[in-house]
Amino acid sequence: MKLQQLKYIIEIVNCGSINEAAKRLYITQPSLSNAVKELETEVGIELFIRTPKGITLTVDGAEFLGYARQVVEQAGLLEQRYLNKKPSRQLCSISTQHYAFAVNAFVNLIKQSGADEYEFTLRETRTYEIIEDVKNLRSEIGILYMNPFNRKVIKKLLRENRLDFHPLFTAKPHIFISTQNPLAGRQSVTLDDLQEYPYLSFEQGEFNSFYFSEEILSTVFRKKSIHVSDRATLFNLLIGLNGYTISTGIVSADLNGDNIISVPLQVDDHIQVGWIANHQIRLSHQANAYVNELKHVIQEYGLPLQE
């Protein structure tokens, strides 16, 4: 077993493809495939499941990757200490639902890293894809919510994929609206108040189940409904069409400007936001740093942390 082979495995997982990893490693695809097969033969386990759509880690492969990352990280520290090598390029990938606080924490992570070279990835994506990303270790951490409606389904899916949910905070539902919306001056609103306004939500692609919706109350009928795929479009439509969406109530003026506000929604429900990770894998230094930044940002917004 060679250190280079461990680096190969890590790069394949980061890319999600042997072909793409070979390009980034500047070696041929057959050479990389042979290196993986040799390592699998040596350790006596299958690391990847190969399908026409690409590769995914096996259960043994996920456990192996956790150890491989630790070894490569420690080897890098040894090289810095005794061979005077510069710190290795820092890597970290996060997948999240569309939350401003997750972006705030990511910004803080990069500022605090102090690295000369880094390659960080933040994916604002669909709920099912967040789970898939963390399951296949394309991302170390995923951020999503649970509530009484989707909890059983989401927990079952996490359990089947050997993922753990770590609560961060629980929030009461709010609507996000433009400061020009007629409801902007209200202390709170009801679902009846919202009937004539366009409802905005994030589309979930082929896994468009109510249980995967990023917004609670996904089964409520709306006369006017618009699905979007990114946060910037959603906020533009909130302003342009006097629309609304439902979320945690955390609005970042730094990221979203001063044109969007939150108003409490009078419903008997709650939103518990947390992070997920593969329970077989020890988080990297950067992933742990990101979790700490998440907690710091959440506390800045005045929300009590859950442990």
Side-chain angles (χ1 to χ4, degrees), residues 42 59 86 121 139 222 244 254 263 280:
E42 181 180 356
V59 174
K86 68 177 183 179
T121 303
S139 291
R222 274 93 176 183
Y244 76 95
D254 292 338
V263 178
Q280 295 175 286

Side-chain angles (χ1 to χ4, degrees), residues 26-132:
Y26 301 104
I27 62 175
T28 65
Q29 184 271 331
S31 296
L32 183 55
S33 293
N34 288 336
V36 172
K37 289 177 182 176
E38 289 173 4
L39 181 59
E40 288 178 322
T41 300
E42 181 180 356
V43 298
I45 60 174
E46 186 178 23
L47 299 173
F48 297 107
I49 299 172
R50 296 154 178 86
T51 71
K53 292 185 178 181
I55 60 166
T56 58
L57 283 164
T58 63
V59 174
D60 288 334
E63 183 178 12
F64 182 89
L65 178 66
Y67 287 111
R69 280 179 168 159
Q70 292 178 47
V71 170
V72 170
E73 208 172 76
Q74 293 300 315
L77 292 174
L78 282 170
E79 289 174 345
Q80 292 171 43
R81 175 67 177 83
Y82 295 105
L83 301 180
N84 295 319
K85 286 194 174 183
K86 68 177 183 179
S88 59
R89 187 179 181 87
Q90 293 191 14
L91 303 172
C92 186
S93 293
I94 309 296
S95 293
T96 178
Q97 292 177 330
H98 298 77
Y99 295 126
F101 65 84
V103 180
N104 289 145
F106 194 76
V107 170
N108 292 347
L109 170 69
I110 294 175
K111 287 180 177 179
Q112 297 297 329
S113 71
D116 293 328
E117 295 184 13
Y118 56 75
E119 184 175 342
F120 293 163
T121 303
L122 180 65
R123 301 183 185 94
E124 283 193 330
T125 189
R126 300 162 177 167
T127 303
Y128 187 85
E129 289 168 5
I130 293 169
I131 295 171
E132 284 291 296

